[in-house]
């Protein structure tokens, strides 16, 4: 087996159980390894530390499978790791009865580059690293064995695969998708899941608990949902008794899906819902100019900063939307604001939101810190900035 030799002092992150080895930490590769092959990670002094997947095309040259330098990385290893990930979710009471659950969350489950989401009897698999791609068959076999699901559909089409030298790959790897489409019930609301063409794996499971909280806060309120996508926050607000819900997104197809989702829920009062196709930044300015006000506003934008290099520009964008959000709130109103940008950490995001409140001239207090659902754990040493973060702020 090839050995990945680290530069002096670059083993410290491994001692903290960080699973990424960057190009600048690597002295050399002793031996031959193809993309995705397992290598032994060795200090400059010759001490073996871990087994990792080699990825010569990526700035993350290797991702650790095991911090046991003697571990066998084989089919049995992946079947055990998949089964352990699924067992962790089975032990979480909040996930009992949920039809949509993240089964594997990459590094947080010791499986870098592996995402698996379950929607009823369908598992959607996303492989984003060279190592994960190499062990596709073992991971699929582990999922079939541990879940008993009828279908596993691969959605390995994210842009990050290109950084690993991998081409996109999609399609069924086990079974066939149901002909009539796929829906799930989330906290009493029925939603479409487009596993073939929807964002990510077809649905944003990490916002499940925050959508439920929105419904709990919405009773009797006029609600504005920006970047609404397929309407998850909007429908939960209606289910919670919102007086009205205005939902805005720039995607016509996403809004059509949102309208279909509303139609799937005849228990909800459709007359209270209004869907508006527009650029959200422009729409917020127009609403301000029109003198409109709301009691609850949701801001759940796409990723403005995929890396730290984009943080400055993204910070301005987050500042703008939160500034208008605060200005559109009635006294006592609540702003629920989110970021999924890896380049914006929790501390910076809070500073941006606080600055927006100050510039808007409002007295705001954080009433909830909003994070990912319990099936989206954050790894011990994986940067928190890589994951969903949010705040619910109430103005005086």
């Amino acid at each position: 087996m090839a050995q990945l030799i680290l530069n002096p002092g670059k083993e410290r992150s491994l001692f903290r159980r960080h699973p990424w080895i960057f190009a600048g930490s690597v002295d050399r590769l002793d031996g031959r390894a193809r993309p995705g092959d397992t290598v032994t990670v060795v200090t400059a002094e010759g001490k073996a530390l871990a087994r990792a997947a080699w990825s010569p095309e990526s700035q993350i040259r290797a991702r650790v499978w095991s911090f046991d330098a003697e571990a066998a990385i084989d089919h049995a290893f992946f079947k055990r790791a998949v089964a352990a990930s699924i067992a962790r979710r089975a032990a979480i009471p909040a996930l009992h009865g949920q039809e949509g659950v993240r089964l594997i969350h990459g590094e947080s489950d010791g499986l870098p580059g592996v995402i698996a989401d379950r929607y009823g009897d369908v598992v959607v698999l996303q492989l984003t690293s060279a190592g994960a791609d190499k062990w596709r068959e073992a991971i699929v076999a582990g999922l079939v064995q541990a879940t008993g699901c009828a279908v596993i559909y691969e959605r390995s089409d994210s842009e990050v695969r290109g950084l690993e030298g991998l081409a996109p790959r999609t399609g069924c790897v086990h079974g066939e998708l149901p002909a009539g489409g796929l829906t799930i019930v989330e906290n009493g609301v029925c939603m479409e899941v487009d596993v073939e063409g929807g964002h990510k794996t077809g649905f944003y499971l990490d916002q499940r608990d925050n959508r439920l909280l929105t419904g709990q806060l919405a009773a009797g309120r006029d609600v504005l949902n920006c970047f609404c996508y397929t309407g998850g926050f909007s429908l939960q607000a209606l289910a919670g008794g919102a007086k009205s819900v205005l939902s805005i997104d720039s995607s016509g197809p996403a809004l059509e899906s949102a309208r279909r989702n509303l139609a799937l829920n005849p228990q909800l009062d459709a007359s209270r819902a209004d869907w508006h196709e527009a650029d959200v930044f422009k729409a917020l300015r127009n609403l301000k100019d029109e003198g409109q006000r709301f009691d609850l506003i949701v801001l759940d934008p796409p990723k403005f900063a995929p890396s730290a290099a984009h943080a400055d520009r993204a910070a301005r964008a987050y500042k703008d939307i939160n500034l208008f959000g605060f200005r559109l709130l009635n006294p006592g109103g609540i702003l629920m604001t989110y970021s999924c940008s890896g380049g914006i950490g929790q501390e910076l995001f809070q500073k941006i939101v606080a600055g927006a409140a100050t510039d808007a001239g409002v007295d705001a207090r954080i009433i909830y810190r909003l994070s990912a659902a319990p099936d989206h754990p954050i790894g011990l040493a994986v940067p928190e900035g890589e994951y969903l973060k949010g705040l619910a702020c109430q103005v005086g």
Side-chain angles (χ1 to χ4, degrees):
M1 182 180 294
Q3 292 189 335
L4 182 66
I5 312 301
L6 300 176
N7 285 318
K10 294 301 182 180
E11 67 276 7
R12 296 190 187 99
S13 64
L14 292 174
F15 291 147
R16 297 192 299 270
R17 292 298 188 261
H18 198 296
W20 298 344
I21 301 171
F22 291 93
S25 298
V26 176
D27 177 23
R28 67 188 185 276
L29 181 72
D30 281 353
R32 300 182 64 181
R34 296 167 296 179
D37 281 355
T38 301
V39 298
T40 302
V41 182
V42 180
T43 69
E45 294 74 30
K47 179 178 175 58
L49 296 180
R51 290 280 168 87
W54 172 241
S55 184
E57 298 290 327
S58 173
Q59 283 300 303
I60 305 175
R61 285 288 194 269
R63 291 174 168 83
V64 173
W65 291 129
S66 175
F67 289 97
D68 176 0
E70 301 297 322
I73 308 303
D74 52 17
H75 276 69
F77 171 87
F78 287 97
K79 287 184 178 180
R80 288 194 303 271
V82 168
S85 297
I86 293 169
R88 275 190 283 275
R89 275 64 179 189
I92 300 174
L95 300 182
H96 294 172
Q98 294 287 355
E99 295 184 1
V101 174
R102 172 147 296 183
L103 300 178
I104 302 173
H105 194 50
E107 287 82 355
S108 298
D109 286 304
L111 290 168
V114 182
I115 297 295
D117 290 339
R118 180 171 187 166
Y119 304 109
D121 207 28
V122 176
V123 172
V124 183
L125 175 66
Q126 189 172 75
L127 305 175
T128 61
S129 68
D133 197 72
K134 179 181 178 62
W135 290 101
R136 171 185 285 103
E137 290 184 7
I139 293 166
V140 170
L143 285 168
V144 172
Q145 180 176 313
T147 68
C149 281
V151 181
I152 298 180
Y153 187 88
E154 185 173 0
R155 274 292 304 272
S156 299
D157 55 357
S158 66
E159 292 181 359
V160 296
R161 277 178 64 90
L163 302 177
E164 299 278 316
L166 302 172
R169 180 166 175 165
T170 62
C172 286
V173 291
H174 174 75
E176 296 293 335
L177 288 173
L182 182 63
T183 62
I184 61 170
V185 175
E186 180 188 84
N187 296 316
V189 171
C190 188
M191 299 285 294
E192 288 184 343
V193 178
D194 181 4
V195 301
E196 295 179 277
H199 291 180
K200 302 292 185 179
T201 65
F203 198 66
Y204 288 100
L205 289 171
D206 56 347
Q207 288 282 29
R208 179 200 309 113
D209 292 353
N210 298 324
R211 286 189 288 264
L212 179 62
L213 177 61
T214 299
Q216 293 168 343
L217 296 173
R221 296 180 182 268
D222 290 312
V223 178
L224 172 64
N225 180 17
C226 297
F227 310 98
C228 70
Y229 190 41
T230 59
F233 281 105
S234 303
L235 268 61
Q236 287 291 345
L238 289 171
K243 182 179 177 182
S244 69
V245 181
L246 172 60
S247 304
I248 305 174
D249 201 279
S250 62
S251 170
L255 290 173
E256 285 303 312
S257 178
R259 292 186 179 96
R260 290 195 300 272
N261 283 331
L262 180 56
L264 289 172
N265 292 273
Q267 77 278 17
L268 303 182
D269 187 351
S271 68
R272 299 184 181 184
D274 187 17
W275 310 95
H276 184 35
E277 182 179 346
D279 175 89
V280 171
F281 288 87
K282 293 180 180 178
L284 288 170
R285 291 185 179 91
N286 291 337
L287 290 170
K288 174 66 170 60
D289 292 341
E290 294 166 3
Q292 295 205 42
R293 293 291 184 273
F294 301 88
D295 306 304
L296 176 61
I297 297 176
V298 178
L299 300 175
D300 186 22
K303 187 182 295 184
F304 289 159
S307 69
H310 301 85
D312 288 344
R313 184 175 62 183
R316 291 192 293 271
Y318 284 117
K319 177 75 170 293
D320 285 346
I321 61 170
N322 283 282
L323 176 63
F324 278 103
F326 280 121
R327 286 175 172 170
L328 289 168
L329 280 175
N330 283 319
I334 297 172
L335 177 69
M336 303 180 74
T337 181
Y338 300 92
S339 166
C340 60
S341 292
I344 304 290
Q346 180 68 54
E347 183 177 355
L348 175 56
F349 185 61
Q350 184 167 328
K351 288 180 179 178
I352 292 169
V353 175
T358 299
D359 289 357
V362 300
D363 180 21
R365 296 286 185 272
I366 297 172
I367 58 174
Y368 296 102
R369 295 188 185 277
L370 308 168
S371 58
D375 45 344
H376 285 60
I378 296 173
L380 181 62
V382 178
E384 186 180 352
E386 296 296 319
Y387 297 92
L388 178 74
K389 58 204 74 77
L391 300 168
C393 303
Q394 187 166 31
V395 300

